[in-house]
Amino acid sequence: MRALTVAPGVANSARVEDVPEPPAEDGAILVRTRAVGVCGTDRDIVCGRYGWAPPGQSRLVIGHESLGTVEEAPPDSGVSVGDLVVGIVRRPDPVPCPSCAVGEWDMCRNGRYTERGIKERHGFGSQYFRIEPEFVVKIDAALGETGVLLEPASVIAKAWDHTERIGQRARSWYPKTLLVTGAGPVGLLAALMGAQRGLEVHVLDHHEHRAKRELVRRLGGAYHVDTLANLRFKPDVLMECSGAPSVVRDVLGNTAASGIVCLVGVTEPGHDFDVDVGALNRTMVLDNNTVFGTVNANRLHYEMAGGALQKADRNWLEAMITRREPAEHWTRSLQRQPDDIKVIVEFS
Ligand SMILES: [Zn+2]
């Protein structure tokens, strides 16, 4: 079968090649792939900055944002032939740590987890993949191709779940305003879930993008192309999805009292700034502010994300997918174009 592969650690090693059929040890459920989404992690892997092949192999099948149709499933697996499904990315570490032991592999404490398409396990970017029943998520068939948004949505569902749990430290905390910094697919999904919670939504972008402005408007939100300092309001919840170091610096301490800053975007090390730590600490202590980071998602978050996508306007979700590339030319999907929001690779 055809697969999208890379040699992790080697820049520009991406190609399409024939690989063996998915091995039985990957799981009892056989899925025919419809599409995989492309994100910054994939670009980092293709550039040679990130990613690990399975032990003893030199190449990795890429693709962790999946969507496919079940072709074979045992009777007790919870899915049936024809179901639309998405694969969970992370697998628990082998020890397992206390988090992985209870199914919270997203909170792994020892870093020995594996991830499909990223870390020591082949991904979903092949004509077929196999998966274990406990790591497959069935989604509403009506979502169609927009179901490929489930994996990025699961990361944001976790971010919202944890934000709300932290907020519950005070019985009186009812957030009213949300600011999302960064208007990529993850930022826009954060805005969607904020709107679904009834919050006043603001999205801060670094340059004008008409389609993103329209998507935010359709959520009833405000789209700003500006600096944080110019916004002149302090949100109750601030979700940092840009991963831009200067934006990360600016969001710290920049919420209303009892505010929560949730860091979702990943940054490269090596960015030094002058920061008045005294003023920052003073603000955060006197205002009971919180800053926390979050990554990945467990099964519960995939299910929450499925609910959020099901509730969303289907046309809004369709508008998130701005470009489709055929698998044979998947490397085109890695080159950013000005109109891109979510780019996906389709398998015919
Ligand atoms: Zn673990």
Side-chain angles (χ1 to χ4, degrees):
M1 63 174 180
R2 304 295 276 165
L4 324 178
T5 71
V6 295
V10 181
N12 304 315
S13 60
R15 61 176 184 242
V16 184
E17 63 180 336
D18 284 315
V19 300
E21 297 294 309
E25 62 261 31
D26 279 0
I29 297 168
L30 179 68
V31 179
R32 181 170 53 79
T33 308
R34 285 181 59 167
V36 291
V38 175
C39 78
T41 302
D42 297 308
R43 291 192 182 91
D44 280 349
I45 295 171
V46 170
C47 290
R49 285 197 292 263
Y50 200 68
W52 297 262
Q57 299 184 39
S58 60
R59 296 189 72 82
L60 172 75
V61 175
I62 205 170
H64 60 277
E65 299 182 1
S66 64
L67 178 71
T69 309
V70 174
E71 292 257 314
E72 278 175 33
D76 56 349
S77 62
V79 296
S80 311
V81 172
D83 283 349
L84 199 59
V85 294
V86 167
I88 291 176
V89 176
R90 195 175 281 192
R91 296 292 174 279
D93 78 75
V95 175
C97 75
S99 300
C100 288
V102 297
E104 292 183 335
W105 49 75
D106 57 311
M107 303 294 288
C108 183
R109 316 259 187 104
N110 64 25
R112 292 178 60 192
Y113 58 82
T114 54
E115 289 175 330
R116 293 202 63 166
I118 302 172
K119 188 168 182 273
E120 298 166 5
R121 280 182 192 267
H122 287 312
F124 304 118
S126 49
Q127 285 178 291
Y128 293 89
F129 63 83
R130 282 192 172 274
I131 191 159
E132 314 88 328
E134 58 271 40
F135 293 105
V136 76
V137 183
K138 180 181 169 176
I139 57 171
D140 181 1
L143 283 173
E145 202 166 51
T146 64
V148 77
L149 299 171
L150 188 76
E151 195 279 338
S154 74
V155 173
I156 285 300
K158 175 184 172 184
W160 274 110
D161 178 41
H162 285 212
T163 297
E164 287 171 334
R165 287 167 191 249
I166 291 166
Q168 283 159 14
R169 69 191 166 148
R171 281 174 295 145
S172 52
W173 191 74
Y174 294 101
K176 292 192 174 64
T177 51
L178 164 69
L179 173 63
V180 178
T181 51
V186 165
L188 292 167
L189 289 166
L192 168 71
M193 292 184 204
Q196 288 178 340
R197 284 163 169 78
L199 297 184
E200 180 190 309
V201 174
H202 297 263
V203 176
L204 184 69
D205 204 354
H206 63 300
H207 70 273
E208 178 69 33
H209 188 297
R210 278 177 62 185
K212 291 178 178 178
R213 179 179 287 279
E214 177 61 13
L215 282 168
V216 175
R217 188 195 66 77
R218 284 160 71 181
L219 295 175
Y223 176 86
H224 308 268
V225 180
D226 211 331
T227 60
L228 202 59
N230 283 340
L231 283 193
R232 294 173 185 282
F233 77 97
K234 300 216 182 279
D236 297 313
V237 176
L238 198 163
M239 289 206 174
E240 202 308 292
C241 302
S242 75
S246 62
V247 178
V248 174
R249 173 201 58 195
D250 292 346
V251 301
L252 301 177
N254 223 322
T255 55
S258 304
I260 299 174
V261 172
C262 173
L263 301 175
V264 184
V266 180
T267 43
E268 286 289 307
H271 296 270
D272 293 345
F273 294 105
D274 284 329
V275 175
D276 182 346
V277 175
L280 179 60
N281 179 69
R282 183 188 170 96
T283 303
M284 290 190 59
V285 169
L286 296 183
D287 284 355
N288 290 291
N289 289 341
T290 304
V291 177
F292 80 102
T294 175
V295 70
N296 195 254
N298 66 44
R299 184 168 191 106
L300 179 70
H301 306 125
Y302 279 80
E303 286 164 3
M304 290 173 174
L309 294 186
Q310 221 171 326
K311 267 196 295 179
D313 175 359
R314 201 60 37 83
N315 294 325
W316 191 92
L317 296 176
E318 292 281 355
M320 287 277 285
I321 301 172
T322 48
R323 186 153 63 95
R324 295 164 169 82
E325 297 288 359
E328 286 300 317
H329 299 291
W330 77 283
T331 51
R332 285 185 204 157
S333 71
L334 303 163
Q335 289 142 23
R336 289 182 198 275
Q337 294 182 7
D339 294 335
D340 285 349
I341 301 178
K342 174 56 72 181
V343 180
I344 65 171
V345 176
E346 290 182 318
F347 288 78
S348 52

